[in-house]
Amino acid sequence: MAEELTPETPDPEAETSGSAEEPIKQRKNGLYPGVSDELAENMKSGWADTALHGLRPIPQAAETAARRAALSARFPGERLVVPAGNLKTRSNDTEYAFRASTEYAYLTGDQTQDGVLVLEPHDGGHRATVYLLPRSNRENGEFWLDGQGELWVGRRHSLDEAEQLLGLPAKDVRELPAALTAATGPVRAVRGHDAGIEAALADKVTAERDEELRAHLSEARAVKDAFEIGELQKAVDSTVRGFEDVVRTLDKAEATSERYIEGTFFLRARVEGNDIGYGSICAAGPHATTLHWVRNDGDVRSGDLLLLDAGVETHTLYTADVTRTLPINGSYSEIQRKIYDAVYESQEAGIAAVRPGAKYRDFHDASQRVLAEKLVEWGLLEGPVERALELGLQRRWTLHGTGHMLGLDVHDCAAARREAYVDGTLEPGMCLTVEPGLYFQADDLTVPEEYRGIGVRIEDDILVTEDGNRNLSAGLPRRADEVEAWMAALKQS
């Protein structure tokens, strides 16, 4: 990684990124003590015009405009502020890869760090403006001296280009804090993404009002439009190919560790999408009983199961979330198949309960009932089943809820009100996961030894349709015999 060229003692007039309040970042132990006048002058000229012309709007421009219009109608007469967020430090002067806030991406389609969407009350509605960093300044040297200058991190779109792409007026975000500080009238903001914007609004917002905005934006995302459904299908299709990649390379994982599985899937996610939608769970053997096993540093052994829970995030930030529990050697043992078949039957019942007009809880209740019945049948849980369900006794081995909303976030719509989500009703266009599981911990003395260390989860992404549901991830087999045949065919290909 190259070392920045910033001088140790900058000239505050010559080297600022737009204002005296924003000095170009310095590296304490930089190898260059300063920038000569001659070099500074040389770097100002001799550059080709790289302006982009005739840009077409992003594919979801019509949808983002409609979402902003709906938001405007919900909060008339109020200024609404939705930041994308800032870079977060990973270590010293290196940052995590930037991922725009879900609310900002949903309303703009933009993914630019430091961006802010502002809806100003205007003529009975709102005037929407996106505030962005403009192109790096070449006169003051920002473009090559600042750690976020274009020669370091790449070209940004100009404000004119951003307007063409997003279908929104674009202004310099560095002017926004002062404008917000001076603003009057009611304001709501999405918190937790941009401390500078929050500071500028500190005396104008309340936590209660801001939470109402956040909850509304969560609930607005519950029903997906056609563009979103298409993106979710893309995410799932890439995820299916990622699972196929893993199966083809299981022998290499056996020779190394779960990290090989993680890396294999990550390659597919980066080649076909933006990233993984969440930390991949590549849990082999007893690690499959840990719900969020993301260390992925364990052994991969023939005869054990692999619980792979992973999803590709598309370039527009929609993510899949799929789980399969695979026999590493290609065949389930008798006890593995017994547990797997129980989870499969549970998932079948859950998926069948997903339909418009059904209560959101119905698919969870249907799945849990099957698992409780199996646990009673196997003698692991004392019946009757109704009593076990009433007391939640099956949860020792089922542990988690049977699914969640899916979209721009892997656990989408999380800030929605309970009455609009978990206590709500399913509608066409909603997308959710159905993912029952059974987990028998290696140290659980309440179950026979043959059960211990086995974890099974099966998860699919289910779209509520007008007449029922559609399994977006049906491209991956689920039934035990189909899984075995699928794995055998992939290993021969």
Side-chain angles (χ1 to χ4, degrees), residues 280-304:
S280 299
I281 298 167
C282 308
H287 288 164
T289 67
T290 301
L291 297 185
H292 288 169
W293 178 261
V294 293
R295 300 179 202 172
N296 299 335
D297 58 1
D299 293 331
V300 179
R301 298 187 180 94
S302 178
D304 283 346

Side-chain angles (χ1 to χ4, degrees), residues 201-220:
L201 294 171
D203 61 344
K204 304 179 187 348
V205 295
T206 67
E208 181 180 4
R209 288 160 55 81
D210 289 353
E211 181 56 28
E212 287 177 356
L213 172 60
R214 182 167 173 258
H216 171 76
L217 288 172
S218 265
E219 293 168 21

Side-chain angles (χ1 to χ4, degrees), residues 327 330-333 337 477 479-490:
S331 298
Y332 295 100
S333 70
R337 183 183 289 266
R479 209 173 63 206
D481 57 340
E482 293 174 343
V483 170
E484 291 175 336
W486 170 73
M487 293 182 68
L490 286 172

Side-chain angles (χ1 to χ4, degrees), residues 258-270:
E258 295 163 341
R259 290 282 168 92
Y260 202 96
I261 296 167
E262 178 183 354
T264 298
F265 187 84
F266 180 71
L267 177 61
R268 176 67 65 173
R270 286 293 283 167

Side-chain angles (χ1 to χ4, degrees), residues 37-358:
D37 292 342
E38 290 80 3
L39 176 58
E41 192 62 30
N42 177 275
M43 290 297 288
K44 291 180 182 180
S45 61
W47 305 98
D49 180 7
T50 61
L52 303 177
H53 303 284
L55 295 174
R56 299 178 63 85
I58 57 175
Q60 68 270 44
E63 286 82 0
T64 55
R67 296 167 197 166
R68 293 191 298 272
L71 180 62
S72 172
R74 173 62 179 80
F75 297 103
E78 301 183 64
R79 181 177 286 102
L80 308 175
V81 182
V82 184
N86 315 125
L87 286 173
K88 291 181 173 61
T89 299
R90 181 182 186 275
S91 174
N92 188 29
D93 57 356
T94 63
E95 294 88 13
Y96 289 103
F98 178 73
R99 203 275 195 185
S101 75
T102 291
E103 296 86 356
Y104 177 85
Y106 176 73
L107 292 168
T108 67
D110 182 49
Q111 299 179 37
T112 305
Q113 68 195 54
D114 302 321
V116 184
L117 172 69
V118 179
L119 272 64
E120 297 275 355
H122 179 71
D123 288 346
H126 286 82
R127 179 172 51 224
T129 304
V130 63
Y131 288 81
L132 304 167
L133 282 173
R135 295 285 307 278
S136 290
N137 192 320
R138 291 181 184 263
E139 285 300 309
N140 67 9
E142 174 199 356
F143 78 108
W144 71 287
L145 292 172
D146 190 287
Q148 291 300 312
E150 292 185 5
L151 291 195
W152 288 98
V153 299
R155 183 188 188 279
R156 296 193 288 265
H157 285 301
S158 70
L159 298 182
D160 286 343
E161 292 164 356
E163 289 185 352
Q164 295 176 61
L165 291 166
L166 304 178
L168 279 167
K171 295 184 179 180
D172 191 334
V173 72
R174 294 171 297 188
E175 302 169 358
L176 182 58
L180 292 177
T181 300
T184 58
V187 182
R188 295 178 190 258
V190 176
R191 300 191 184 198
H193 302 299
D194 193 317
I197 294 301
E198 290 182 32
L201 294 171
D203 61 344
K204 304 179 187 348
V205 295
T206 67
E208 181 180 4
R209 288 160 55 81
D210 289 353
E211 181 56 28
E212 287 177 356
L213 172 60
R214 182 167 173 258
H216 171 76
L217 288 172
S218 265
E219 293 168 21
R221 297 199 308 276
V223 175
K224 271 59 181 178
D225 57 39
F227 175 84
E228 292 179 293
I229 293 169
E231 289 302 295
L232 285 168
Q233 188 65 68
K234 286 181 189 176
V236 169
D237 292 345
S238 289
T239 298
V240 168
R241 289 187 283 274
F243 274 65
E244 292 171 348
D245 296 339
V246 167
V247 171
R248 290 191 180 99
T249 59
L250 276 178
D251 57 335
K252 295 182 175 63
E254 287 187 63
T256 52
S257 75
E258 295 163 341
R259 290 282 168 92
Y260 202 96
I261 296 167
E262 178 183 354
T264 298
F265 187 84
F266 180 71
L267 177 61
R268 176 67 65 173
R270 286 293 283 167
V271 167
E272 295 193 0
N274 176 62
D275 207 329
I276 49 175
Y278 54 95
S280 299
I281 298 167
C282 308
H287 288 164
T289 67
T290 301
L291 297 185
H292 288 169
W293 178 261
V294 293
R295 300 179 202 172
N296 299 335
D297 58 1
D299 293 331
V300 179
R301 298 187 180 94
S302 178
D304 283 346
L305 296 176
L306 166 67
L307 191 157
L308 178 59
D309 184 337
V312 172
E313 178 185 77
T314 66
H315 293 293
T316 58
L317 306 185
Y318 289 85
T319 186
D321 183 7
V322 179
T323 305
R324 290 293 183 269
T325 305
L326 311 172
I328 292 169
N329 64 9
S331 298
Y332 295 100
S333 70
E334 182 178 353
I335 183 64
Q336 289 169 352
R337 183 183 289 266
K338 175 183 175 180
I339 296 169
Y340 186 94
D341 285 348
V343 175
Y344 172 77
E345 186 178 331
S346 168
Q347 195 201 26
E348 283 280 272
I351 293 174
V354 175
R355 58 183 178 273

